[in-house]
Amino acid sequence: MSSESLTGDAARRPAQQRHSKFLFWPSQRSMKQQEEIASWIFILPWIIGFICFTAGPMLTSLYLSLTEATMLEPPKFIGLLNYRNLFSFDEVTSLFWRTLYNTSYYVFLSVPLGLILGFLIALLLNQNIKFRGIFRTIYYLPSIIPGVAVALLWILIFNRQFGVLNVILSWVGINGPAWLYDETWAKPALVIMSLWGSGGPMLIFLAGLQGIPTELFDAAKVDGAGSWQRFWHVTIPMVSPTIFFVLVTGIIGSFQVFTTTYVMTQGGPANSTMMYVLYLFNLAFQQFRMGYASALGWVYFVIIMLLTMLILRSSALWVYYESGAMGD
Amino acid sequence: MVTRPMTRRRFLGGAALGAVGAVLAACGATPTPQVVEKVVTSVVEKEVTKLVEGTPQVVKETVVVKETVVQEVVATAAPTAKPVELRFEDEAEIGPEGFKVFTDVLIPKFQQLNPGITVKFEPATGDWSQKITAEMAAGDAPDVMVAYGNAARQWMESGQLLPLEDVFTKDELVDFYDEQLIAFNVNNHLYEIPKYVSTIVLAYNKDAFDKAGLKYPDDSWTWDDFLMAVEKLTVKDSSGKTTQWGYRVMQNYIAHWPWQNGGEWMDKEAMGTKILIDQPKSMEALKFNWDIQFTYKYSPMAQDMEQVGAFDTFQTGKLGLAEAHSWQVTDYIARNNFKYDYALLPQKEKRVGQIFADGYGIFKGTKDKNASIALLKFMTGPDAEREMCTSVLGLQPSRKSVASVWDTLSQGAKAGVNVQAFSQMAKVARLDPYFKNNAKVREIFNPIWDSIWVTGKVGLEEGVAELVKKVNDYLATVS
């Protein structure tokens, strides 16, 4: 066998075979390794950041949740005592159930209402109306105003004597309550305030609505579908992935409500707006009970994770993907 | 001119000479006494001849004497071979302009007296105490800092502050109010030195008093006199809407009322282990205030004036009487566009006020203990207290020896208001009550207290009974 025949033989191999051999050439393998190393170097800053600022603190807090830790003294291992105390129904021991109720009340009212309002505004602004761009900007603007500024603004709106809300209510003969100073009305006030940020979901819904092919509406029209049927059988299924996204991110975000209550009510009056994260913050940074606060944080993580999983599972029943990816 | 080349030997010789010079210079860094001119103010009583009803008579009167003297001031810190930079964190109750007193006056003065020590000022704003706690955990807190409240207690209890009992002699501490020193004493260690004293007096709106035809409050005022005035100072318009309230109940600073009535707030002077506000004398005092708010409606509810905070209500001119804290004096001068003055708190069985403890502490991990002690001694010394008192900060001195400066030279005194009332109340004041594990006690206490005083959803007797049971049950588990 001559070397010439070998060369000629190799040259006659199909392209795919040549390619596979290409990968195993020693010089090319080292290039692949180099590329692999380069990729690791590129993602290393993120990995280091994740380990140092996310995974590391998470594991530390998991350990702290099993200790009595004050931040300034060495933690003492106490096993599951923090978790046992946490679930106590006695409010002197723990405000877990009260804060979970307050937060759930807020989440399960503010998220659906915000979602519906955002969707309705998006539907309106998806129409061919004059100054559409200006309206879109106006509706979106409130959602980018910093939380503290919004909170201060709404303190004025909820003012019992001079607040805009009570002035409007007085026009229809209603004597408005002392919103933030009333145990009954303080939580609904926070829900009302949360609707201020509906511009965020609106923008996402608008993008979703604009992604629906017009042929679908045309075909439905040809088949004799009315506007309600087109909305119900075309629009809703086509934007259901968007609804799903807004719902999941909205729920996770609302469970973390903190700024508004911290600025507006400090959890009062009489703990009626004491939200879970504010309670956790108070335990950690006012009472310096870091161990207990860590346990509270981990339980919350599990609750939010389970809820998110539930929504993810349920999405197979109500979210429509054109590609059918979720159904596969 | 002949230029001689630099040889190796010549270079080394020169370097050695330079090094010896530098060492000698460093050794000579001991602060030399500086001669400075200083204005010393003293309050003296002297006899002067005055015309009394047209007749010259010799009368005694108190006058403020200012004299400029030449004094030697010696740096207080032990000499340090190498320069040190200290971090100093403090707050200004009146707002950002107050920080200039530290950055433009006090710190430059300290640095002048202590060559080799540079002080970097860190303004304490927002959640500053949480920031310091985190810095302590990381071992990198300011060297000297203001400290009070729950955070300060945590720092003291966990030994984050340097014990100071060996730094200050008993003779030096005599100048401070005992109540403040009690607050800074934890586990038999003194962890802080008072920065200023905050006391409570009665502020009254002279215009409102004149309009109501009432005599101004004086030292003889009792609770009955007070209640009568509060009633007459409450004004309603034709529609029945209150346009001026007689008084604003300050339910979060109310402990002196039970004390005045011979009652108690808790079982100890500090670090209480049992709450006693359900005792008859204490309840009677609380009921007196509760009636003013709920029965007679002479006091606004929080939601009646929610656009202004509790400490800003009097400045609106819509109150006849209010309890004023000494740190508010400069704010009153700036904002009150009506005539007002201060008087002693009304009394029942006895006259008792309330005193609050704000102090300075040194972080145990300070980079230079001697320099930090020098800074702390300077900031709590008579000169700094005088500056904090007379400047825009307007802080009532915690040193009794400087009290006369507050009475005569502070901005309040210059504005012609009776700031001496604060000094008088400080002498009969008791420490703002705090319990063992105070932060947790507040978590139990505050919501029920809100239901009684803010929302009014729970009656006084019912609320106090619930509160006392829950707080005492908790305290029993930790005592």
Side-chain angles (χ1 to χ4, degrees):
Chain A
M1 196 182 278
S2 71
S3 61
E4 277 174 18
S5 67
L6 266 176
T7 310
D9 200 32
R12 281 193 297 275
R13 279 182 192 150
Q16 199 179 348
Q17 272 181 311
R18 266 189 279 140
H19 181 66
S20 62
K21 183 161 185 186
F22 170 84
L23 286 174
F24 290 98
W25 284 353
S27 60
Q28 295 306 318
R29 194 167 63 220
S30 72
M31 183 183 278
K32 186 175 177 265
Q33 281 174 339
Q34 279 174 10
E35 282 176 350
E36 204 174 314
I37 289 166
S39 71
W40 277 107
I41 289 170
F42 277 120
I43 61 167
L44 203 58
W46 183 87
I47 290 174
I48 292 170
F50 178 75
I51 291 169
C52 293
F53 300 114
T54 306
M58 275 181 79
L59 290 174
T60 307
S61 80
L62 185 61
Y63 165 68
L64 286 178
S65 74
L66 305 172
T67 67
E68 191 184 317
T70 61
M71 208 164 151
L72 297 175
E73 288 160 302
K76 275 183 271 177
F77 187 80
I78 54 168
L80 295 173
L81 189 63
N82 282 332
Y83 290 93
R84 210 175 64 190
N85 288 339
L86 191 149
F87 292 114
S88 167
F89 285 98
D90 176 12
E91 289 205 347
V92 172
T93 310
S94 171
L95 290 176
F96 169 79
W97 294 107
R98 175 181 282 258
T99 54
L100 190 64
Y101 166 73
N102 286 346
T103 315
S104 303
Y105 179 104
Y106 174 79
V107 171
F108 293 119
L109 275 179
S110 69
V111 173
L113 286 175
L115 196 141
I116 292 166
L117 190 66
F119 189 51
L120 289 177
I121 300 169
L123 282 173
L124 286 173
L125 296 182
N126 198 36
Q127 307 301 313
N128 240 341
I129 53 169
K130 260 190 180 180
F131 309 118
R132 194 167 61 171
I134 295 171
F135 282 124
R136 284 175 184 173
T137 311
I138 290 170
Y139 278 104
Y140 182 63
L141 267 181
S143 63
I144 56 169
I145 296 176
V148 174
V150 172
L152 294 174
L153 177 73
W154 278 87
I155 287 174
L156 294 176
I157 292 173
F158 286 128
N159 187 297
R160 187 173 82 165
Q161 289 174 301
F162 315 109
V164 178
L165 194 57
N166 278 3
V167 169
I168 294 169
L169 288 174
S170 70
W171 293 345
V172 287
I174 297 172
N175 187 17
W179 295 95
L180 300 174
Y181 290 86
D182 190 315
E183 288 168 50
T184 315
W185 287 102
K187 268 195 295 287
L190 295 180
V191 172
I192 293 169
M193 189 193 134
S194 73
L195 302 180
W196 171 265
S198 299
M202 175 210 76
L203 199 72
I204 300 168
F205 281 129
L206 209 52
L209 288 170
Q210 288 176 354
I212 304 174
T214 49
E215 304 87 69
L216 293 178
F217 292 108
D218 294 339
K221 248 185 203 173
V222 170
D223 289 343
S227 54
W228 172 252
Q229 283 169 315
R230 288 201 300 276
F231 173 74
W232 193 249
H233 296 291
V234 180
T235 309
I236 293 286
M238 291 304 287
V239 292
S240 60
T242 315
I243 295 173
F244 172 67
F245 173 76
V246 172
L247 185 71
V248 171
T249 53
I251 283 178
I252 293 171
S254 296
F255 264 113
Q256 292 169 30
V257 58
F258 174 79
T259 313
T260 47
T261 47
Y262 182 69
V263 175
M264 293 171 81
T265 61
Q266 288 280 314
N271 281 340
S272 59
T273 60
M274 183 61 77
M275 300 296 173
Y276 200 99
V277 179
L278 179 61
Y279 176 50
L280 192 153
F281 173 83
N282 287 346
L283 285 171
F285 295 102
Q286 286 182 359
Q287 297 186 29
F288 302 102
R289 295 168 67 192
M290 279 292 165
Y292 190 66
S294 298
L296 211 69
W298 274 96
V299 169
Y300 209 42
F301 171 71
V302 171
I303 291 171
I304 295 177
M305 195 177 68
L306 287 176
L307 199 67
T308 310
M309 279 170 59
L310 193 74
I311 299 167
L312 279 169
R313 285 287 171 97
S314 76
S315 69
L317 302 172
W318 61 275
V319 179
Y320 170 76
Y321 288 99
E322 250 184 309
S323 61
M326 285 299 284
D328 292 344
Chain B
M1 189 175 167
V2 180
T3 309
R4 284 193 291 181
M6 173 67 81
T7 62
R8 187 166 168 263
R9 179 173 298 179
R10 190 185 295 271
F11 172 77
L12 289 173
L17 201 65
V20 171
V23 170
L24 286 174
C27 292
T30 309
T32 48
Q34 299 166 38
V35 178
V36 293
E37 271 197 347
K38 196 172 183 186
V39 177
V40 175
T41 308
S42 49
V43 180
V44 293
E45 194 172 57
K46 66 177 187 180
E47 291 183 342
V48 292
T49 307
K50 269 193 160 183
L51 280 175
V52 179
E53 293 173 354
T55 317
Q57 285 185 14
V58 176
V59 293
K60 277 187 174 179
E61 68 174 20
T62 307
V63 292
V64 179
V65 180
K66 273 189 186 182
E67 51 185 344
T68 306
V69 295
V70 176
Q71 282 193 342
E72 267 192 356
V73 181
V74 184
T76 50
T80 48
K82 57 180 181 181
V84 59
E85 185 184 86
L86 295 180
R87 287 168 60 198
F88 170 58
E89 181 146 346
D90 203 346
E91 64 174 0
E93 285 76 4
I94 54 136
E97 66 269 31
F99 291 130
K100 284 191 174 179
V101 178
F102 297 107
T103 56
D104 297 2
V105 182
L106 290 173
I107 290 173
K109 198 169 175 184
F110 172 78
Q111 290 178 158
Q112 190 191 357
L113 296 171
N114 294 271
I117 305 177
T118 311
V119 179
K120 186 181 161 207
F121 183 71
E122 297 180 8
T125 54
D127 297 330
W128 62 272
S129 61
Q130 287 138 23
K131 188 201 82 164
I132 290 181
T133 305
E135 287 175 332
M136 282 175 170
D140 187 31
D143 297 277
V144 179
M145 74 214 80
V146 67
Y148 61 85
N150 285 333
R153 294 216 59 78
Q154 175 73 13
W155 301 342
M156 291 189 269
E157 283 168 18
S158 59
Q160 292 296 317
L161 300 180
L162 206 66
L164 299 168
E165 60 271 15
D166 297 334
V167 176
F168 285 80
T169 63
K170 278 187 178 166
D171 288 344
E172 284 176 294
L173 295 175
V174 161
D175 203 16
F176 296 102
Y177 294 98
D178 288 342
E179 290 74 17
Q180 291 197 304
L181 296 176
I182 289 169
F184 300 146
N185 202 309
V186 174
N187 303 329
N188 295 321
H189 288 299
L190 180 68
Y191 284 109
E192 286 184 50
I193 299 298
K195 171 189 171 186
Y196 75 100
V197 64
S198 176
T199 47
I200 303 175
V201 300
L202 201 60
Y204 61 97
N205 183 329
K206 279 181 159 181
D207 290 347
F209 268 73
D210 291 343
K211 221 170 173 180
L214 286 169
K215 261 180 72 184
Y216 297 147
D218 58 31
D219 296 0
S220 67
W221 255 35
T222 62
W223 284 15
D224 292 338
D225 300 317
F226 170 79
L227 186 61
M228 200 176 65
V230 167
E231 181 190 354
K232 289 190 174 162
L233 289 164
T234 304
V235 181
K236 294 186 177 187
D237 63 14
S238 54
S239 68
K241 190 182 165 196
T242 306
T243 54
Q244 178 183 288
W245 279 273
Y247 172 69
R248 178 162 188 171
V249 173
M250 297 282 273
Q251 74 273 8
N252 292 329
Y253 304 93
I254 206 170
H256 49 282
W257 287 88
W259 292 336
Q260 285 168 9
N261 199 36
E264 282 299 333
W265 193 267
M266 56 186 195
D267 61 338
K268 292 180 182 175
E269 207 52 32
M271 295 270 276
T273 55
K274 199 171 180 189
I275 190 165
L276 301 173
I277 59 172
D278 59 339
Q279 290 188 350
K281 294 266 185 184
S282 304
M283 274 304 284
E284 192 184 358
L286 293 176
K287 184 77 168 53
F288 181 80
N289 278 272
W290 192 88
D291 281 341
I292 287 176
Q293 181 158 323
F294 292 96
T295 309
Y296 311 128
K297 301 191 189 308
Y298 298 153
S299 166
M301 298 277 284
Q303 54 268 38
D304 289 322
M305 300 193 84
E306 59 182 284
Q307 70 278 18
V308 286
F311 282 115
D312 298 313
T313 321
F314 187 70
Q315 293 90 316
T316 63
K318 288 187 173 178
L319 281 189
L321 287 155
E323 287 190 340
H325 292 233
S326 55
W327 55 265
Q328 293 182 280
V329 168
T330 48
D331 186 52
Y332 273 25
I333 294 170
R335 292 169 60 192
N336 291 1
N337 56 3
F338 53 88
K339 281 188 267 168
Y340 70 96
D341 209 343
Y342 301 110
L344 301 185
L345 292 175
Q347 55 185 332
K348 184 85 185 290
E349 282 190 12
K350 51 192 165 184
R351 193 189 308 283
V352 189
Q354 219 178 139
I355 206 167
F356 302 86
D358 293 47
Y360 286 119
I362 298 174
F363 176 46
K364 72 168 183 187
T366 175
K367 57 183 87 67
D368 192 315
K369 190 177 159 185
N370 287 337
S372 293
I373 289 170
L375 179 59
L376 182 125
K377 282 201 162 188
F378 175 81
M379 287 296 172
T380 58
D383 283 354
E385 290 226 333
R386 193 174 290 122
E387 182 61 39
M388 289 189 213
C389 164
T390 55
S391 68
V392 68
L393 284 176
L395 299 178
Q396 187 182 355
S398 52
R399 282 181 176 271
K400 293 173 208 159
S401 62
V402 191
S404 62
V405 176
W406 169 264
D407 292 346
T408 55
L409 289 174
S410 66
Q411 300 211 353
K414 285 177 185 165
V417 289
N418 177 27
V419 285
Q420 294 92 327
F422 291 101
S423 301
Q424 284 176 264
M425 285 310 305
K427 290 176 191 162
V428 291
R430 289 174 63 180
L431 184 63
D432 172 37
Y434 63 88
F435 294 89
K436 193 175 168 69
N437 287 13
N438 198 51
K440 175 66 187 175
V441 170
R442 300 303 303 190
E443 182 191 299
I444 303 164
F445 183 100
N446 286 350
I448 306 171
W449 207 237
D450 273 2
S451 296
I452 298 170
W453 297 97
V454 179
T455 66
K457 288 257 163 95
V458 177
L460 181 68
E461 286 80 7
E462 184 193 347
V464 166
E466 183 191 354
L467 189 155
V468 167
K469 186 181 181 317
K470 283 187 171 176
V471 169
N472 285 344
D473 282 353
Y474 167 71
L475 286 170
T477 64
V478 292
S479 297

